[in-house]
Amino acid sequence: MAIDLGTANTLVYVKGKGVVLNEPSVVAIVNEKGRNTVLAVGEDAKQMLGRTPGSIQAIRPLRDGVIADFIVTEEMIKHFIKKVHKKTIANPRILICVPTGSTPVERKAIQDSALAAGARRVQLIEEPIAAAIGAGLPIQEATGSMVVDIGGGTTEIAVMSLGGVVYSESLRVAGDAMDNSLKDYMREEYNLMIGDSTAEKIKKDIGTAIPTNNNTYAVKGRDLRSGTPKEVNISEQDTSEALNPILKEIVSGIKKALENTPPELSADLVDMGLTMTGGGSLLKNIDKRFSKETGLPVNIADDPLSCVAIGTGKALDDQEIFSTVLSEY
C-alpha cells in the first residue's frame, strides 16, 4: 500500500484498487485517569476541532509536512492500515511520500512510525516526484518537467528530468498558512476572531488569487471588542488581499527554481509549462496569477487532491521503473 501522509489529509492507495481512503490527518484523544486514549481518527476527529471539552484534545500530529507528535502519528497510521485492510493483510509493505526539504532525522521518524504501526517494510518517495508521476508527466525522459505541489503544510517546487530531481525547494507555506492569513486579516480588518474550520471554508468558497467579481460572503465569529458573536460580509477583494503574502512567497520560490534550472531544461519548460497539484491548486485563479508572474503556461492536474497518492501508488506498482526514486532510512 502507498500512503500520502499529508499535514491536512492522509490518502491511502492499495495496489489494484486505487485510492481507497481519504481522511483528515486529525486524531482526537481523551485523557482518562492520566492515560491518553484515542477517541476518533480522521473525519470524526476533524468534526471535534475547536469544539472539544477540557478532557478531549483534537490533534493534528503533522505540522509543515513532518511529524510533530510521534506516538499520535503511529496510532493514526495504525488506524488507517486497519481500516483499509480490515485485517486481511498483516504487515503490509508501505511506500510513504515525504517533503523534499525534510531532514534524514524527520524521514527516519516517518519510517519508524509506519514500522511501529505494523508495516513489514517501509520505503519513501519525495512528494514532487510522486505528484509528477500522478499527473502523468514524462519524468523518465530527457525533458524538463516542473511541478508545484501546494499541500496543507508545505509547497513542493521541483524541476525533474531523466527520473531524478534537478532542483527542488520545499516551502513551509501552503494551505494552512493561507488559513492563518485569512484569520489574521479578519482579526485586523474586521475585529472578528474566527477558527481554523471557518478560515478553510472562506478559502474554498470565496478565496481567490485574482478577484473577478463583487460577490460577498457572510462570515460568523466572535467580536474582539464586545466578545459576542458577530456576522460580517467579506468580498473576493478581501480574500485576495489576505492571501497575497502567501502567494507572493510561493511565486518567489517558483522564480528561484527557474533561476536554478539549466538552460536546456528551461527551454523545455517554455512549452511544457508548470503543473500544479495539491489542494492549494484549487484556489480560484491561482493558475492565472502564476502564469502572469512567471510567463509560463500553468496546468492544473486532473485530480490535484489525489495526484501524490496516485503517483506514490504507481511507483509502488512499477518498482522496476521507479526504483531510482525510492529510498529507505
Side-chain angles (χ1 to χ4, degrees):
M1 63 191 284
I3 299 178
D4 172 13
L5 196 62
T7 306
N9 286 66
T10 295
L11 286 82
V12 177
Y13 176 105
V14 174
K15 194 170 182 176
K17 295 181 181 176
V19 177
V20 294
L21 182 139
N22 180 357
E23 292 206 25
S25 302
V26 184
V27 180
I29 287 171
V30 61
N31 191 294
E32 293 175 322
K33 299 173 184 174
R35 282 188 62 203
N36 286 336
T37 309
V38 174
L39 185 67
V41 178
E43 196 61 58
D44 294 339
K46 190 181 181 182
Q47 302 295 330
M48 301 179 187
L49 275 174
R51 301 170 186 267
T52 57
S55 61
I56 298 172
Q57 271 185 297
I59 300 168
R60 292 177 65 180
L62 290 111
R63 287 282 167 195
D64 301 330
V66 295
I67 292 175
D69 192 315
F70 186 86
I71 295 165
V72 175
T73 302
E74 185 186 314
E75 288 297 326
M76 184 174 77
I77 295 172
K78 202 179 287 182
H79 173 87
F80 289 145
I81 290 173
K82 280 181 185 171
K83 189 166 185 177
V84 167
H85 286 304
K86 297 182 177 67
K87 298 180 182 177
T88 55
I89 296 179
N91 309 113
R93 182 166 58 88
I94 295 179
L95 179 61
I96 300 179
C97 59
V98 292
T100 49
S102 56
T103 65
V105 172
E106 288 165 344
R107 293 179 184 213
K108 182 83 168 59
I110 288 172
Q111 193 173 34
D112 288 348
S113 279
L115 287 168
R120 179 174 80 251
R121 184 186 178 198
V122 180
Q123 290 175 294
L124 306 177
I125 183 171
E126 292 188 345
E127 261 174 57
I129 293 176
I133 295 168
L137 297 180
I139 66 162
Q140 299 296 111
E141 296 173 17
T143 182
S145 299
M146 187 175 190
V147 163
V148 178
D149 176 48
I150 307 175
T154 60
T155 295
E156 305 291 323
I157 301 164
V159 177
M160 289 153 283
S161 177
L162 289 168
V165 175
V166 177
Y167 177 85
S168 68
E169 179 87 14
S170 185
L171 307 176
R172 298 281 168 110
V173 288
D176 287 351
M178 291 181 191
D179 294 347
N180 289 332
S181 218
L182 285 164
K183 283 164 67 179
D184 293 343
Y185 184 86
M186 294 305 296
R187 189 168 60 245
E188 288 161 16
E189 296 295 320
Y190 291 98
N191 283 304
L192 191 76
M193 185 172 275
I194 60 172
D196 292 338
S197 300
T198 303
E200 188 181 6
K201 201 166 186 319
I202 294 169
K203 179 179 69 180
K204 287 178 178 176
D205 292 352
I206 197 175
T208 184
I210 302 171
T212 52
N213 59 52
N214 296 317
N215 291 350
T216 59
Y217 183 82
V219 179
K220 296 166 187 167
R222 192 177 82 225
D223 191 311
L224 284 167
R225 290 197 186 108
S226 64
T228 56
K230 176 183 166 185
E231 182 179 305
V232 298
N233 288 314
I234 64 166
S235 65
E236 277 196 357
Q237 182 67 39
D238 286 322
T239 63
S240 175
E241 275 180 43
L243 298 171
N244 189 48
I246 307 300
L247 297 175
K248 278 174 82 173
E249 201 168 333
I250 295 172
V251 167
S252 177
I254 295 170
K255 286 180 177 176
K256 187 180 172 187
L258 294 170
E259 285 166 13
N260 287 278
T261 301
E264 290 299 326
L265 296 182
S266 291
D268 295 335
L269 295 177
V270 172
D271 299 320
M272 287 278 291
L274 66 88
T275 299
M276 293 189 65
T277 64
S281 63
L282 297 174
L283 182 73
K284 187 180 171 185
N285 293 329
I286 194 168
D287 52 338
K288 291 176 184 170
R289 167 136 186 200
F290 285 3
S291 182
K292 184 181 172 186
E293 300 210 22
T294 62
L296 292 176
V298 176
N299 314 298
I300 296 174
D302 291 339
D303 187 358
L305 287 169
S306 305
C307 243
V308 174
I310 291 166
T312 308
K314 283 182 181 175
L316 186 72
D317 290 346
D318 301 318
Q319 288 235 351
E320 288 179 15
I321 299 172
F322 298 110
S323 58
T324 54
V325 298
L326 308 182
S327 60
E328 291 183 52
Y329 280 78

